[in-house]
Amino acid sequence: MQEKWNQFVYDLYEAKKRDVDEDIYHSLIETQMQLLGWAKWKGEICHKPNIPIGNSKFIQPDILIKCGDEDQFVIEVKRPVHTQTERERVQLESYMRQLKLDGGIYIGEHIEVFYDKPKSKDAVSVLRIPLEIDNKLGAKFVEKFSKETFTKDSIVEFCEARMEEMNRQANLN
């Protein structure tokens, strides 16, 4: 998985060095998701889909990953030199809740996985990965979000385990 992570993150890292704009970065992320086995031509990688909510409104997440007709997870994209704000976290959480998804990903200056635990007030960051080669957490990301190994249940289990690990670490500190 480490090799696959390195392949996944290399172009993102280079894009950050070149300070590419958000549209180019967005397209690059869609290409990188294909490295993880998701197929754009099958409609599994949806670019800014209009998703109706209510009678006359809609949401438009940056990237929605689907399998068949079922939404799997959502990705919020910002420029690779952008610094994440509370607004982006709230926006991602809103997409996750509207689509009834437990997991969502922020990709900007780093990659961050969020978990919307049932009955929780806010989605929780469970994994934050710098855009760097040979990152061990990156290998875990690739393992969990590759199409061949991805299931919603495995993401929930992973997120719950990460929250327990984070709580243990906080108690030690």
Side-chain angles (χ1 to χ4, degrees), residues 127-155:
L127 186 65
R128 186 177 180 138
I129 313 161
L131 301 178
E132 62 187 22
I133 301 293
D134 291 329
N135 187 294
K136 301 298 181 217
L137 293 175
K140 183 60 78 174
F141 172 84
V142 165
E143 175 190 331
K144 294 299 174 187
F145 288 94
S146 289
K147 183 181 179 189
E148 66 187 38
T149 56
F150 179 88
T151 67
K152 287 182 177 180
D153 289 341
S154 72
I155 293 302

mmCIF file of all heavy atoms in Angstrom, residues 127-155:
data_model
loop_
_atom_site.group_PDB
_atom_site.id
_atom_site.type_symbol
_atom_site.label_atom_id
_atom_site.label_comp_id
_atom_site.label_asym_id
_atom_site.label_seq_id
_atom_site.Cartn_x
_atom_site.Cartn_y
_atom_site.Cartn_z
ATOM 1 N N LEU A 127 -8.237 11.449 10.803
ATOM 2 C CA LEU A 127 -6.965 11.162 10.146
ATOM 3 C C LEU A 127 -6.551 12.380 9.331
ATOM 4 O O LEU A 127 -7.307 12.850 8.490
ATOM 5 C CB LEU A 127 -7.109 9.940 9.224
ATOM 6 C CG LEU A 127 -5.852 9.411 8.554
ATOM 7 C CD1 LEU A 127 -4.882 8.860 9.604
ATOM 8 C CD2 LEU A 127 -6.206 8.326 7.547
ATOM 9 N N ARG A 128 -5.354 12.869 9.614
ATOM 10 C CA ARG A 128 -4.807 14.027 8.887
ATOM 11 C C ARG A 128 -3.451 13.623 8.343
ATOM 12 O O ARG A 128 -2.577 13.203 9.113
ATOM 13 C CB ARG A 128 -4.691 15.215 9.827
ATOM 14 C CG ARG A 128 -4.277 16.479 9.153
ATOM 15 C CD ARG A 128 -4.258 17.600 10.172
ATOM 16 N NE ARG A 128 -3.859 18.832 9.544
ATOM 17 C CZ ARG A 128 -4.415 19.995 9.786
ATOM 18 N NH1 ARG A 128 -5.398 20.088 10.662
ATOM 19 N NH2 ARG A 128 -3.996 21.071 9.188
ATOM 20 N N ILE A 129 -3.290 13.746 7.022
ATOM 21 C CA ILE A 129 -2.083 13.246 6.372
ATOM 22 C C ILE A 129 -1.424 14.363 5.562
ATOM 23 O O ILE A 129 -2.045 14.913 4.649
ATOM 24 C CB ILE A 129 -2.406 12.076 5.414
ATOM 25 C CG1 ILE A 129 -3.327 11.069 6.088
ATOM 26 C CG2 ILE A 129 -1.134 11.420 4.911
ATOM 27 C CD1 ILE A 129 -4.042 10.167 5.116
ATOM 28 N N PRO A 130 -0.174 14.685 5.850
ATOM 29 C CA PRO A 130 0.539 15.650 5.015
ATOM 30 C C PRO A 130 0.735 15.086 3.604
ATOM 31 O O PRO A 130 0.768 13.866 3.417
ATOM 32 C CB PRO A 130 1.897 15.815 5.711
ATOM 33 C CG PRO A 130 1.764 15.169 7.042
ATOM 34 C CD PRO A 130 0.634 14.193 6.956
ATOM 35 N N LEU A 131 0.876 15.978 2.632
ATOM 36 C CA LEU A 131 1.142 15.552 1.256
ATOM 37 C C LEU A 131 2.628 15.248 1.138
ATOM 38 O O LEU A 131 3.419 16.095 0.733
ATOM 39 C CB LEU A 131 0.728 16.644 0.267
ATOM 40 C CG LEU A 131 -0.729 17.071 0.296
ATOM 41 C CD1 LEU A 131 -0.978 18.193 -0.716
ATOM 42 C CD2 LEU A 131 -1.650 15.893 0.029
ATOM 43 N N GLU A 132 2.992 14.021 1.526
ATOM 44 C CA GLU A 132 4.397 13.629 1.492
ATOM 45 C C GLU A 132 4.535 12.158 1.137
ATOM 46 O O GLU A 132 3.687 11.334 1.471
ATOM 47 C CB GLU A 132 5.074 13.927 2.834
ATOM 48 C CG GLU A 132 4.489 13.162 3.997
ATOM 49 C CD GLU A 132 5.041 13.569 5.357
ATOM 50 O OE1 GLU A 132 5.567 14.690 5.485
ATOM 51 O OE2 GLU A 132 4.915 12.768 6.292
ATOM 52 N N ILE A 133 5.621 11.870 0.472
ATOM 53 C CA ILE A 133 5.956 10.502 0.079
ATOM 54 C C ILE A 133 6.286 9.685 1.336
ATOM 55 O O ILE A 133 6.773 10.219 2.323
ATOM 56 C CB ILE A 133 7.176 10.510 -0.889
ATOM 57 C CG1 ILE A 133 6.881 11.345 -2.139
ATOM 58 C CG2 ILE A 133 7.639 9.113 -1.250
ATOM 59 C CD1 ILE A 133 5.821 10.782 -3.046
ATOM 60 N N ASP A 134 6.001 8.394 1.289
ATOM 61 C CA ASP A 134 6.344 7.424 2.339
ATOM 62 C C ASP A 134 5.655 7.665 3.682
ATOM 63 O O ASP A 134 6.143 7.220 4.720
ATOM 64 C CB ASP A 134 7.864 7.344 2.551
ATOM 65 C CG ASP A 134 8.566 6.708 1.364
ATOM 66 O OD1 ASP A 134 7.958 5.848 0.700
ATOM 67 O OD2 ASP A 134 9.731 7.082 1.098
ATOM 68 N N ASN A 135 4.524 8.337 3.675
ATOM 69 C CA ASN A 135 3.791 8.553 4.915
ATOM 70 C C ASN A 135 3.006 7.283 5.249
ATOM 71 O O ASN A 135 2.217 6.799 4.440
ATOM 72 C CB ASN A 135 2.858 9.758 4.772
ATOM 73 C CG ASN A 135 2.211 10.134 6.072
ATOM 74 O OD1 ASN A 135 1.410 9.380 6.615
ATOM 75 N ND2 ASN A 135 2.565 11.305 6.579
ATOM 76 N N LYS A 136 3.212 6.745 6.433
ATOM 77 C CA LYS A 136 2.550 5.494 6.850
ATOM 78 C C LYS A 136 1.032 5.660 6.949
ATOM 79 O O LYS A 136 0.280 4.741 6.638
ATOM 80 C CB LYS A 136 3.101 5.003 8.189
ATOM 81 C CG LYS A 136 4.588 4.725 8.181
ATOM 82 C CD LYS A 136 4.948 3.633 7.207
ATOM 83 C CE LYS A 136 6.447 3.369 7.251
ATOM 84 N NZ LYS A 136 7.015 3.055 5.959
ATOM 85 N N LEU A 137 0.572 6.821 7.403
ATOM 86 C CA LEU A 137 -0.872 7.069 7.455
ATOM 87 C C LEU A 137 -1.458 7.142 6.046
ATOM 88 O O LEU A 137 -2.609 6.791 5.826
ATOM 89 C CB LEU A 137 -1.173 8.358 8.221
ATOM 90 C CG LEU A 137 -0.848 8.342 9.708
ATOM 91 C CD1 LEU A 137 -1.090 9.718 10.322
ATOM 92 C CD2 LEU A 137 -1.646 7.269 10.433
ATOM 93 N N GLY A 138 -0.648 7.595 5.096
ATOM 94 C CA GLY A 138 -1.081 7.627 3.701
ATOM 95 C C GLY A 138 -1.368 6.230 3.180
ATOM 96 O O GLY A 138 -2.345 6.008 2.457
ATOM 97 N N ALA A 139 -0.534 5.281 3.561
ATOM 98 C CA ALA A 139 -0.761 3.886 3.158
ATOM 99 C C ALA A 139 -2.083 3.392 3.738
ATOM 100 O O ALA A 139 -2.834 2.658 3.070
ATOM 101 C CB ALA A 139 0.400 3.005 3.615
ATOM 102 N N LYS A 140 -2.407 3.788 4.958
ATOM 103 C CA LYS A 140 -3.683 3.408 5.583
ATOM 104 C C LYS A 140 -4.846 4.045 4.824
ATOM 105 O O LYS A 140 -5.873 3.407 4.590
ATOM 106 C CB LYS A 140 -3.674 3.845 7.055
ATOM 107 C CG LYS A 140 -4.893 3.463 7.830
ATOM 108 C CD LYS A 140 -5.141 1.978 7.885
ATOM 109 C CE LYS A 140 -4.263 1.272 8.860
ATOM 110 N NZ LYS A 140 -4.612 -0.159 8.996
ATOM 111 N N PHE A 141 -4.686 5.294 4.417
ATOM 112 C CA PHE A 141 -5.712 5.981 3.635
ATOM 113 C C PHE A 141 -5.998 5.221 2.340
ATOM 114 O O PHE A 141 -7.155 4.967 1.999
ATOM 115 C CB PHE A 141 -5.259 7.419 3.325
ATOM 116 C CG PHE A 141 -6.153 8.145 2.363
ATOM 117 C CD1 PHE A 141 -7.297 8.784 2.805
ATOM 118 C CD2 PHE A 141 -5.845 8.193 1.009
ATOM 119 C CE1 PHE A 141 -8.134 9.456 1.921
ATOM 120 C CE2 PHE A 141 -6.671 8.870 0.114
ATOM 121 C CZ PHE A 141 -7.815 9.496 0.576
ATOM 122 N N VAL A 142 -4.950 4.877 1.618
ATOM 123 C CA VAL A 142 -5.097 4.148 0.352
ATOM 124 C C VAL A 142 -5.778 2.805 0.584
ATOM 125 O O VAL A 142 -6.668 2.406 -0.172
ATOM 126 C CB VAL A 142 -3.717 3.968 -0.324
ATOM 127 C CG1 VAL A 142 -3.765 2.931 -1.420
ATOM 128 C CG2 VAL A 142 -3.238 5.302 -0.880
ATOM 129 N N GLU A 143 -5.393 2.125 1.646
ATOM 130 C CA GLU A 143 -6.004 0.831 1.970
ATOM 131 C C GLU A 143 -7.511 0.981 2.203
ATOM 132 O O GLU A 143 -8.300 0.190 1.707
ATOM 133 C CB GLU A 143 -5.340 0.253 3.221
ATOM 134 C CG GLU A 143 -5.963 -1.015 3.719
ATOM 135 C CD GLU A 143 -5.432 -1.417 5.090
ATOM 136 O OE1 GLU A 143 -4.272 -1.090 5.415
ATOM 137 O OE2 GLU A 143 -6.194 -2.043 5.840
ATOM 138 N N LYS A 144 -7.913 2.001 2.921
ATOM 139 C CA LYS A 144 -9.323 2.168 3.280
ATOM 140 C C LYS A 144 -10.180 2.737 2.153
ATOM 141 O O LYS A 144 -11.362 2.419 2.063
ATOM 142 C CB LYS A 144 -9.464 3.059 4.527
ATOM 143 C CG LYS A 144 -8.889 2.423 5.771
ATOM 144 C CD LYS A 144 -9.608 1.126 6.082
ATOM 145 C CE LYS A 144 -8.995 0.380 7.229
ATOM 146 N NZ LYS A 144 -9.584 -0.944 7.406
ATOM 147 N N PHE A 145 -9.604 3.580 1.288
ATOM 148 C CA PHE A 145 -10.405 4.254 0.271
ATOM 149 C C PHE A 145 -10.202 3.719 -1.150
ATOM 150 O O PHE A 145 -10.786 4.259 -2.086
ATOM 151 C CB PHE A 145 -10.187 5.769 0.334
ATOM 152 C CG PHE A 145 -10.840 6.379 1.545
ATOM 153 C CD1 PHE A 145 -10.122 6.568 2.716
ATOM 154 C CD2 PHE A 145 -12.183 6.710 1.529
ATOM 155 C CE1 PHE A 145 -10.735 7.101 3.842
ATOM 156 C CE2 PHE A 145 -12.806 7.245 2.646
ATOM 157 C CZ PHE A 145 -12.080 7.442 3.808
ATOM 158 N N SER A 146 -9.422 2.658 -1.301
ATOM 159 C CA SER A 146 -9.333 1.995 -2.606
ATOM 160 C C SER A 146 -10.639 1.252 -2.856
ATOM 161 O O SER A 146 -11.208 0.650 -1.940
ATOM 162 C CB SER A 146 -8.175 0.996 -2.626
ATOM 163 O OG SER A 146 -6.945 1.680 -2.629
ATOM 164 N N LYS A 147 -11.098 1.287 -4.089
ATOM 165 C CA LYS A 147 -12.389 0.687 -4.406
ATOM 166 C C LYS A 147 -12.442 -0.794 -4.042
ATOM 167 O O LYS A 147 -13.444 -1.280 -3.520
ATOM 168 C CB LYS A 147 -12.726 0.871 -5.885
ATOM 169 C CG LYS A 147 -14.103 0.323 -6.208
ATOM 170 C CD LYS A 147 -14.465 0.470 -7.652
ATOM 171 C CE LYS A 147 -15.839 -0.138 -7.878
ATOM 172 N NZ LYS A 147 -16.167 -0.222 -9.268
ATOM 173 N N GLU A 148 -11.357 -1.518 -4.305
ATOM 174 C CA GLU A 148 -11.372 -2.972 -4.079
ATOM 175 C C GLU A 148 -11.531 -3.352 -2.612
ATOM 176 O O GLU A 148 -12.021 -4.434 -2.304
ATOM 177 C CB GLU A 148 -10.126 -3.631 -4.665
ATOM 178 C CG GLU A 148 -8.833 -3.221 -3.982
ATOM 179 C CD GLU A 148 -7.596 -3.751 -4.677
ATOM 180 O OE1 GLU A 148 -7.584 -3.791 -5.906
ATOM 181 O OE2 GLU A 148 -6.644 -4.116 -3.949
ATOM 182 N N THR A 149 -11.165 -2.469 -1.695
ATOM 183 C CA THR A 149 -11.268 -2.787 -0.265
ATOM 184 C C THR A 149 -12.287 -1.916 0.469
ATOM 185 O O THR A 149 -12.551 -2.153 1.644
ATOM 186 C CB THR A 149 -9.892 -2.630 0.425
ATOM 187 O OG1 THR A 149 -9.405 -1.302 0.188
ATOM 188 C CG2 THR A 149 -8.896 -3.655 -0.090
ATOM 189 N N PHE A 150 -12.839 -0.935 -0.206
ATOM 190 C CA PHE A 150 -13.735 0.019 0.445
ATOM 191 C C PHE A 150 -15.097 -0.592 0.738
ATOM 192 O O PHE A 150 -15.715 -1.223 -0.109
ATOM 193 C CB PHE A 150 -13.947 1.256 -0.432
ATOM 194 C CG PHE A 150 -14.874 2.264 0.188
ATOM 195 C CD1 PHE A 150 -14.379 3.237 1.032
ATOM 196 C CD2 PHE A 150 -16.241 2.220 -0.037
ATOM 197 C CE1 PHE A 150 -15.232 4.160 1.621
ATOM 198 C CE2 PHE A 150 -17.102 3.137 0.548
ATOM 199 C CZ PHE A 150 -16.592 4.110 1.382
ATOM 200 N N THR A 151 -15.553 -0.400 1.971
ATOM 201 C CA THR A 151 -16.961 -0.605 2.329
ATOM 202 C C THR A 151 -17.297 0.484 3.343
ATOM 203 O O THR A 151 -16.425 0.955 4.080
ATOM 204 C CB THR A 151 -17.260 -1.986 2.964
ATOM 205 O OG1 THR A 151 -16.616 -2.065 4.245
ATOM 206 C CG2 THR A 151 -16.799 -3.140 2.074
ATOM 207 N N LYS A 152 -18.554 0.860 3.371
ATOM 208 C CA LYS A 152 -18.967 1.862 4.359
ATOM 209 C C LYS A 152 -18.741 1.340 5.770
ATOM 210 O O LYS A 152 -18.323 2.088 6.657
ATOM 211 C CB LYS A 152 -20.430 2.234 4.144
ATOM 212 C CG LYS A 152 -20.663 3.081 2.915
ATOM 213 C CD LYS A 152 -22.134 3.437 2.815
ATOM 214 C CE LYS A 152 -22.418 4.340 1.652
ATOM 215 N NZ LYS A 152 -23.841 4.685 1.557
ATOM 216 N N ASP A 153 -19.000 0.057 5.979
ATOM 217 C CA ASP A 153 -18.797 -0.531 7.310
ATOM 218 C C ASP A 153 -17.335 -0.483 7.725
ATOM 219 O O ASP A 153 -17.020 -0.202 8.887
ATOM 220 C CB ASP A 153 -19.302 -1.977 7.354
ATOM 221 C CG ASP A 153 -20.820 -2.065 7.313
ATOM 222 O OD1 ASP A 153 -21.494 -1.052 7.603
ATOM 223 O OD2 ASP A 153 -21.333 -3.153 6.987
ATOM 224 N N SER A 154 -16.421 -0.764 6.786
ATOM 225 C CA SER A 154 -14.997 -0.743 7.148
ATOM 226 C C SER A 154 -14.541 0.672 7.472
ATOM 227 O O SER A 154 -13.674 0.868 8.328
ATOM 228 C CB SER A 154 -14.131 -1.356 6.044
ATOM 229 O OG SER A 154 -14.045 -0.505 4.922
ATOM 230 N N ILE A 155 -15.131 1.671 6.834
ATOM 231 C CA ILE A 155 -14.786 3.067 7.153
ATOM 232 C C ILE A 155 -15.273 3.416 8.556
ATOM 233 O O ILE A 155 -14.557 4.039 9.337
ATOM 234 C CB ILE A 155 -15.358 4.031 6.092
ATOM 235 C CG1 ILE A 155 -14.673 3.809 4.746
ATOM 236 C CG2 ILE A 155 -15.231 5.487 6.537
ATOM 237 C CD1 ILE A 155 -13.156 3.980 4.747
#
